Amino acid sequence: MESFRSPTVLIVDDDRDVRLGTRLRLQAAGYRTLEAENGLLGIAAAIEHSPDLVLLDVRMPTMDGLTALKLLRNNEITKNTPIIMLSASHVDQTEALDSGARFFLAKPYHGPQMLAAVEAAIVA
């Protein structure tokens, strides 16, 4: 009998409240979660844990999400991991999608919208 493993989502955002709210929504929907507070730590976590999906904020200190996205896309381990970019600025949308993000969600996003994007990205 095959055991079912809940998909794992890595949440990369410098805002602790955003990470908490996102984690609670994802866990309530049956996902396992990991967290990182900047792009550099997010890359390390993605390589170490191979999540099924990364939710990646664009505007963060230490390393921004667009830089992290490009590095994840150029890494053999993470190059095919679905990534959803998050930003309060629509200006980032084109670059995020052109750089390999599966979806772009504008902040503040609604929980059902985020869950639908996560589900679509994991299934795709």
Side-chain angles (χ1 to χ4, degrees), residues 5-11 26-27 30-34 49 52:
R5 182 185 70 84
S6 297
T8 301
V9 177
L10 171 60
I11 305 160
L26 288 167
Q27 288 176 346
Y31 293 95
R32 295 185 313 149
T33 60
L34 302 166
H49 299 287
D52 298 288

Side-chain angles (χ1 to χ4, degrees), residues 58-59 86-97 104-108 113:
V58 172
R59 310 279 169 125
L86 312 169
S87 179
S89 173
H90 287 280
V91 173
D92 299 319
Q93 183 171 1
T94 301
E95 186 174 358
L97 295 172
F104 178 92
L105 289 178
K107 288 179 167 181
Q113 176 190 26

Side-chain angles (χ1 to χ4, degrees), residues 23 46 61 65 69 89 92 97-98 123:
R23 175 177 31 128
L69 171 64
S89 173
D92 299 319
L97 295 172
D98 287 348
V123 171

